[in-house]
Amino acid sequence: MTIKYTKEQLNKFDKDLLIELFLGMQGQMEELSRQTQALNDRMQLMMEQMVLFQKNRFGRSSEKMADSEQIRFMEVDGTIVFFNEAEAVCDLDAPEPEDLELKAPKKKKQPGKKAADIAGLTVKRIDHYLKEEELTAEFGENGWKQLPDAISRCYQFIPASVVIEEHHIGVYSSKLDEHMIKAPHPRNLLHGSLVSPSLAAAVINGKYVNAVPLYRLEKEFERYGLAITRQNMANWMIRLGEEYLGTMYDYLHKLLYDYHVIQADETPVLVNKDGRPAGSQSYMWVYRSGFMYRDRQIILYEYQKTRNASHPRKFLRDYTGICVTDGYQVYHTLEKERENLKIAGCWVHCRRRFNDALEVIPKAHRKESILHLIMKQIQAIYREEGKLSDFSTEDRLMQRQLVVKPLVDAFFAYLKQNEPKIPKNGKIREAFTYALNQESYLKVFLEDGDVPIDNNASERAIRGFCIGKKNWEMIDTVNGANSSAIIYSIAETAKANNLKPFDYFEYLLTEIPKHVDDKNTDFLAELLPWSDMLPENIRKPQKASGK
């Protein structure tokens, strides 16, 4: 209850009592001011989150900046804190890419492209010619001559068809005793099942490549007269992963250790029956060979119930080299534990935080913000890095040291100069804190020409799983999650190496069962996505370039 004093009562108070009252009121005012500031900070955060929610839901996802105006050098205590791109970099007016991935320049459409697109397809020739009497009626006796044919082409689509492959196996016995033999024949893919390599590949291609839920595949098979339930298909996927495809997965896992640079990421997933309460969150981790290694790419998924450091610690236990990740602390924990593992940071995650902070500022005032200049600095870093995509490892490192490193150093010098001036809470503070805490990791790419500037390749590698996840919502069992990790790994690895997933899976499920009794896995070398021993039909046709 608040006590109110009248003027007469206050006049009767002695000096010491008035001082006590004033000091008490002063303390209350300080506490109210603190509470008000805390409420204001919370309100600001809520408003920023609301703006970002609206932007993420209805706005464009690109972080492209609208202009390419110059920024200038400024020296503070002998340190360059921002730079003049006219002196430090060239091609200032080059448009910024829609995203931050390094891409090959888009080529102009070449003449003869349509012919090149269909060059690898089977051609069914259909002739259309006039009879001689029709030509005579049109031109008169011997009044015509044959010109080169006009050729019209169109795609003909042949829907999938299903046939029963019935193997009749000769059985022979001796007339003298009970000795009996059978003629050589391929063994069934799964004991007691009608599934074949082609049917299994069709299910895998539908679910794991095209993100079609099993219940839709079940309906599709019904239209072809096949009574294949989603339970059948789920069981096939688990058994195929355990009995055959897991062998290739383990082989790729060992090969991943040979790469000097790898990349890692993770995404949440729900597993219905994993021994925990319903709705408990699990994770699908992804590890891939470094993006700079274009020829022999490996992408591996791993299912785990949690997101703690024990999982990458086990998966990478025999790995020596550099791992590119976002700012998740578990990777930094591993780096501290091991002398032979180095963690590199991701500039996309750094930029994204500054972009989010910029998005909550009204558009009319964005160019006045310090964030605008910071985004321009990151834009310049990416623009210079983008020019090095086709360089050799050695040349890329040299150019990074000469051109990119001064821009990165200026960026962090500018952050440190302005960090004391920014609010203690909010998106701007989050962005500054993230960037400054990640400084050593964000500079690793400057020291090694094989290290990409960001972790976009890992995010891209896990995208297929995320798209599928939206369609089927959750995985039913842990076995299902493990088999999904194996199959997604091989599917994404196949795509990354320009193979046709359906044909590759069909080939693997034809060849691997032939080696189930082998004492080692050396045969897998001939089945790798980049093996010269693969049939040519498994590879995506190379489009002919115009001259």
Side-chain angles (χ1 to χ4, degrees), residues 347-394:
W347 276 86
V348 162
H349 284 79
C350 176
R351 170 172 174 157
R352 194 169 293 157
R353 281 166 170 78
F354 284 109
N355 185 72
D356 286 348
L358 188 63
E359 289 288 338
V360 302
I361 298 175
K363 286 187 177 180
H365 301 289
R366 286 179 187 175
K367 288 189 177 181
E368 304 166 11
S369 168
I370 187 177
L371 294 169
H372 179 77
L373 181 55
I374 290 172
M375 291 291 286
K376 296 297 298 179
Q377 290 176 318
I378 299 176
Q379 175 187 4
I381 292 168
Y382 259 97
R383 187 158 56 241
E384 290 309 300
E385 174 65 21
K387 297 174 184 177
L388 311 179
S389 59
D390 294 325
F391 281 40
S392 67
T393 298
E394 296 75 16

Side-chain angles (χ1 to χ4, degrees), residues 29-86:
M29 288 296 292
E30 290 175 355
E31 177 62 20
L32 287 172
S33 296
R34 187 191 65 77
Q35 292 179 4
T36 301
Q37 184 60 46
L39 287 172
N40 287 340
D41 291 343
R42 290 179 62 186
M43 180 65 73
Q44 179 65 25
L45 285 173
M46 290 174 63
M47 292 297 294
E48 291 177 353
Q49 290 168 356
M50 180 73 72
V51 170
L52 286 176
F53 173 78
Q54 293 286 92
K55 182 255 181 183
N56 291 336
R57 186 176 183 188
F58 301 111
R60 71 178 187 185
S61 59
S62 168
E63 297 170 4
K64 180 178 178 181
M65 296 192 73
D67 65 289
S68 56
E69 64 189 23
Q70 294 184 17
I71 41 186
R72 303 176 180 278
F73 272 118
M74 186 176 83
E75 248 185 56
V76 176
D77 298 329
T79 302
I80 296 171
V81 293
F82 37 110
F83 41 86
N84 182 347
E85 292 185 70

Side-chain angles (χ1 to χ4, degrees), residues 205 209 248 295 297 490-505 507-508 526-532 534-542:
N205 195 63
V209 178
M248 175 60 82
D295 295 333
Q297 299 190 51
I490 298 174
E492 291 298 322
T493 299
K495 290 193 293 182
N497 289 280
N498 293 313
L499 300 185
K500 295 183 282 188
F502 170 85
D503 297 283
Y504 187 54
F505 275 108
Y507 186 68
L508 290 181
E526 297 183 355
L527 304 180
L528 290 170
W530 49 83
S531 169
D532 294 334
L534 291 184
E536 199 58 35
N537 69 291
I538 293 177
R539 307 182 195 281
K540 290 174 63 177
Q542 297 293 323

Side-chain angles (χ1 to χ4, degrees), residues 199-214:
L199 181 57
V203 175
I204 290 172
N205 195 63
K207 176 173 171 59
Y208 297 96
V209 178
N210 296 326
V212 180
L214 290 182

Side-chain angles (χ1 to χ4, degrees), residues 408-459:
V408 173
D409 290 341
F411 169 78
F412 282 106
Y414 187 66
L415 292 187
K416 291 170 185 176
Q417 179 203 1
N418 288 278
E419 189 267 343
K421 306 174 187 177
I422 64 171
K424 294 183 178 180
N425 297 287
K427 292 294 179 183
I428 301 180
R429 171 59 62 178
E430 288 180 16
F432 267 75
T433 300
Y434 179 88
L436 292 173
N437 287 345
Q438 293 287 311
E439 180 178 0
S440 62
Y441 305 108
L442 291 171
K443 287 184 174 181
V444 171
F445 84 103
L446 299 171
E447 305 164 8
D448 193 308
D450 284 337
V451 178
I453 189 174
D454 57 43
N455 201 31
N456 263 5
S458 287
E459 295 191 0

Side-chain angles (χ1 to χ4, degrees), residues 116-253:
D117 288 344
I118 64 176
L121 300 179
T122 301
V123 176
K124 177 183 178 182
R125 174 168 169 160
I126 303 173
D127 292 334
H128 305 274
Y129 294 111
L130 293 175
K131 295 178 181 179
E132 188 168 346
E133 54 267 29
E134 293 175 314
L135 292 168
T136 300
E138 177 70 24
F139 297 105
E141 188 73 28
N142 296 323
W144 54 274
K145 62 180 179 179
Q146 182 87 33
L147 300 175
D149 290 352
I151 299 175
S152 173
R153 297 183 178 94
C154 62
Y155 288 113
Q156 181 186 20
F157 179 73
I158 302 174
S161 59
V162 180
V163 297
I164 297 295
E165 192 177 76
E166 187 175 80
H167 295 260
H168 288 253
I169 304 160
V171 182
Y172 311 90
S173 66
S174 171
K175 293 181 178 180
L176 301 177
D177 55 29
E178 296 181 354
H179 176 60
M180 184 175 66
I181 63 169
K182 289 183 179 179
H185 63 281
R187 61 191 297 170
N188 281 357
L189 191 58
L190 296 175
H191 181 69
S193 171
L194 291 173
V195 66
S196 65
S198 60
L199 181 57
V203 175
I204 290 172
N205 195 63
K207 176 173 171 59
Y208 297 96
V209 178
N210 296 326
V212 180
L214 290 182
Y215 75 89
R216 291 186 190 169
L217 291 176
E218 179 181 357
K219 295 298 181 183
E220 183 68 14
F221 284 130
E222 280 183 9
R223 287 186 275 272
Y224 292 110
L226 292 176
I228 300 176
T229 67
R230 68 196 76 173
Q231 289 78 18
N232 292 145
M233 290 183 276
N235 290 337
W236 293 346
M237 297 302 102
I238 292 173
R239 293 179 62 188
L240 292 172
E242 292 174 348
E243 297 182 29
Y244 303 118
L245 299 176
T247 307
M248 175 60 82
Y249 177 92
D250 293 338
Y251 194 72
L252 290 170
H253 187 178

